[in-house]
Amino acid sequence: MRPSGRKTDQMRKVSFQRGISKHAEGSCLVKFGDTHVLCTASLEEKTPPWLRNSGKGWVTAEYGMLPRATGERMKREAASGKQSGRTQEIQRLIGRSLRAVVDLQALGERQISIDCDVIQADGGTRTASITGAWIALRDCLAWMEARNMIKVEKVLKDHIAAISCGIFANQPVIDLDYLEDSAAETDANFVITGSGGIVEIQGTAEGKPFSEEEFTTLMGLAKNGIAELVSLQKQVIEG
């Protein structure tokens, strides 16, 4: 029995609120249950130095948790003068995931920076960030298209979404909340495109190793979850 009472293949309630930021070219407040992340997309008419005069653009990401995103106040990383290894790992993952579905040549020599700020954490902050960041990115591109800068369909090749799956209490489950994540025997994150392409899989056994059969079960749960998330992305974009 899951602590939340959910079925093994049941995700938390997911919602997207677009246009949450007045100033950003694209923004989205994404909620996976009690995990809430504010994603904003900011356009710059320049690229990193290594891409200058290449004709290509860039999509990058930054990630952070607000001090009271968790049960006890955390110090801001800026106060310590450096980011944690976890923060760097997650923001690189978000950037890689988004670039997997962007035609950087079609974007032109511009950079879109995605900021993912965790307002409230209850497990799955990186998967919620990736899924919500796609909405913010897509709205940023729509903002650009409205100004005759690009065509969205030429730049954005596909949807991207992410979901966690794991083995909790000897059962494969989807979309782990904090209680499950902290006690899971196996924890995995799946980043998959709308057409089913695998961008990244992160899987770790916390206790005994997991079998190939168990991994196949987790993969099946993830594919179904991604399909549901992509359907929700389409609904909110069309709406």
Side-chain angles (χ1 to χ4, degrees):
M1 184 69 177
R2 305 182 71 173
S4 63
R6 287 183 285 143
K7 297 177 182 178
T8 57
D9 61 350
Q10 183 181 0
M11 296 195 301
R12 293 173 287 181
K13 183 180 178 181
V14 176
S15 68
F16 303 105
Q17 184 178 350
R18 297 164 63 197
I20 195 72
S21 173
K22 176 181 178 179
H23 301 292
E25 284 77 21
S27 62
C28 174
L29 176 62
V30 56
K31 297 181 180 180
F32 277 35
D34 286 334
T35 289
H36 303 170
V37 185
L38 174 62
C39 305
T40 57
S42 302
L43 174 66
E44 294 179 272
E45 286 286 350
K46 61 179 181 180
T47 60
W50 70 86
L51 280 176
R52 198 166 294 151
N53 300 321
S54 68
K56 293 183 178 180
W58 193 244
V59 177
T60 188
E62 292 188 13
Y63 166 96
M65 296 181 71
L66 298 186
R68 279 315 304 265
T70 56
E72 296 181 358
R73 184 185 185 275
M74 301 179 299
K75 289 186 177 179
R76 296 180 190 272
E77 291 186 338
S80 65
K82 63 177 181 179
Q83 292 180 317
S84 69
R86 176 183 180 275
T87 294
Q88 293 182 49
E89 175 211 348
I90 292 175
Q91 62 190 26
R92 287 169 182 163
L93 170 64
I94 298 167
R96 285 195 304 272
S97 300
L98 295 173
R99 289 193 297 273
V101 294
V102 171
D103 185 330
L104 298 176
Q105 193 78 43
L107 179 60
E109 290 198 27
R110 307 176 177 97
Q111 176 167 285
I112 298 175
S113 298
I114 309 292
D115 288 287
C116 297
D117 293 298
V118 180
I119 300 171
Q120 184 170 282
D122 185 33
T125 61
R126 73 186 67 193
T127 55
S129 294
I130 291 167
T131 309
W134 185 90
I135 298 281
L137 172 63
R138 196 269 177 199
D139 280 357
C140 178
L141 295 173
W143 184 94
M144 295 170 67
E145 182 176 69
R147 288 155 181 80
N148 299 314
M149 300 167 72
I150 53 99
K151 290 290 185 183
V152 173
E153 66 271 15
K154 290 185 177 180
V155 178
L156 197 57
K157 299 180 290 185
D158 205 344
H159 287 252
I160 193 85
I163 196 69
S164 65
C165 295
I167 299 175
F168 172 78
N170 297 314
Q171 284 189 313
V173 297
I174 193 171
D175 193 20
L176 286 71
D177 56 31
Y178 178 75
L179 287 176
E180 295 171 329
D181 189 39
S182 60
E185 299 136 45
T186 296
D187 180 27
N189 296 301
F190 296 82
V191 185
I192 301 176
T193 68
S195 56
I198 298 169
V199 174
E200 191 150 342
I201 298 173
Q202 303 173 331
T204 305
E206 297 292 344
K208 66 178 181 180
F210 56 96
S211 67
E212 184 175 343
E213 182 181 358
E214 288 172 324
F215 173 76
T216 300
T217 300
L218 295 178
M219 187 72 187
L221 286 172
K223 285 183 175 180
N224 290 337
I226 294 294
E228 187 174 332
L229 290 172
V230 169
S231 177
L232 289 171
Q233 286 177 334
K234 290 178 178 178
Q235 288 177 33
V236 74
I237 289 298
E238 291 169 1

